[in-house]
């Protein structure tokens, strides 16, 4: 498992709800947490690691010792949003890029826990921001899609560079071709959606 970078097509993919929670899924979650900590993240969505499922993990502290701050969201739905807050954001799929994003400050979220129970949370501030950023990923939306035109212009060069690097890696066979990526996505969906 590794974090896929922009402009990998799966980051634009609208993930499907998970129909089966089993040991396999719990293993995926454990691996996602490890990878998130190893890469200094505070949240990680399944499609960022190549899995087309509505699932993400979060630990707002980013500290692997603080297990009590670990949260798993299966099939999350944001029920309510309130307020407005501008803050700086980054993303593991856009290494080295940061920008200000305006998002609602308070949210109500429903999701499924790993034991199958429906869980309902209210989040504010930083955690609310992470939950929205990750839920966006599951809808194929990156944080750059939430930027003002001015902010987007400021990172334009970095994005162009990432696109060139991606194309070059694809030509050299380090990243599969688009048709192969889609075939893999469909296969993974059949297992769990
Ligand atoms: Zn992200």
């Amino acid at each position: 498992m590794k974090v896929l970078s922009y402009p990998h097509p799966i980051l634009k993919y609208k993930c499907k709800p998970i129909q089966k929670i089993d040991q396999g899924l719990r293993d995926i979650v454990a691996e996602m947490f490890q990878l998130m900590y190893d890469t200094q993240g505070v949240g990680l969505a399944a499609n960022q690691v190549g899995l087309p499922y509505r699932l993400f993990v979060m630990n707002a502290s980013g500290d692997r010792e603080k297990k009590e701050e670990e949260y798993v969201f299966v099939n999350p739905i944001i029920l309510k949003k309130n307020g407005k807050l501008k803050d700086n954001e980054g993303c593991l799929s856009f290494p080295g890029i940061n920008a200000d994003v305006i998002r609602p400050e308070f949210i109500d979220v429903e999701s499924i826990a790993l034991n199958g129970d429906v869980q309902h949370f209210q989040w504010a501030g930083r955690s609310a921001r992470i939950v929205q950023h990750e839920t966006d990923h599951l809808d194929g939306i990156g944080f750059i899609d939430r930027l003002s035109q001015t902010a987007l212009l400021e990172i334009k060069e970095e994005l162009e560079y990432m696109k060139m690097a991606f194309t070059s890696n694809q030509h050299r066979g380090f990243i599969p071709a688009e048709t192969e990526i889609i075939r893999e996505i469909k296969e993974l969906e059949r297992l769990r959606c």
Side-chain angles (χ1 to χ4, degrees):
M1 194 181 274
K2 63 173 182 172
V3 180
L4 301 172
S5 295
Y6 173 85
H8 195 288
I10 198 163
L11 298 173
K12 284 265 174 207
Y13 194 76
K14 194 168 162 60
C15 297
K16 301 280 186 304
I18 290 173
Q19 306 289 351
K20 197 168 86 182
I21 295 178
D22 56 8
Q23 191 52 42
L25 191 75
R26 286 186 276 273
D27 292 345
I28 288 172
V29 166
E31 205 176 332
M32 282 174 67
F33 270 119
Q34 289 319 313
L35 184 58
M36 184 188 82
Y37 295 129
D38 291 346
T39 50
Q40 275 84 51
V42 289
L44 185 63
N47 52 338
Q48 288 183 279
V49 297
L51 302 171
Y53 309 138
R54 295 193 80 77
L55 159 75
F56 71 86
V57 298
M58 168 174 100
N59 182 334
S61 75
D63 183 348
R64 68 172 85 226
E65 301 304 321
K66 292 189 177 161
K67 296 282 174 224
E68 70 281 7
E69 291 195 44
E70 287 188 347
Y71 291 93
V72 180
F73 297 78
V74 175
N75 303 343
I77 300 169
I78 298 179
L79 300 171
K80 261 197 247 169
K81 304 177 181 188
N82 262 307
K84 217 188 217 186
L85 197 66
K86 181 156 115 177
D87 205 352
N88 206 256
E89 267 181 49
C91 177
L92 295 175
S93 295
F94 295 81
I97 297 182
N98 286 82
D100 283 343
V101 186
I102 299 169
R103 292 188 190 272
E105 188 177 0
F106 307 97
I107 54 166
D108 276 20
V109 183
E110 196 177 273
S111 67
I112 314 287
L114 279 184
N115 62 8
D117 288 349
V118 174
Q119 51 185 5
H120 188 256
F121 290 112
Q122 292 178 315
W123 299 99
R126 188 169 156 78
S127 297
R129 180 165 295 270
I130 299 168
V131 169
Q132 291 176 82
H133 176 116
E134 302 308 330
T135 307
D136 267 356
H137 270 306
L138 305 182
D139 288 325
I141 299 167
F143 84 115
I144 60 161
D145 300 316
R146 298 277 185 204
L147 300 183
S148 67
Q149 282 303 315
T150 325
L152 195 57
L153 266 177
E154 274 173 35
I155 58 165
K156 195 167 176 260
E157 252 176 62
E158 282 113 308
L159 294 179
E160 287 304 321
Y161 181 80
M162 290 187 77
K163 279 187 203 165
M164 278 184 344
F166 184 85
T167 310
S168 150
N169 278 329
Q170 217 163 20
H171 284 154
R172 293 184 335 200
F174 297 142
I175 298 170
E178 186 106 11
T179 47
E180 176 62 16
I181 290 172
I182 297 295
R183 197 193 59 76
E184 279 174 18
I185 288 174
K186 295 293 167 199
E187 200 140 297
L188 287 163
E189 272 177 359
R190 266 197 298 278
L191 292 175
R192 212 163 274 290
C193 300

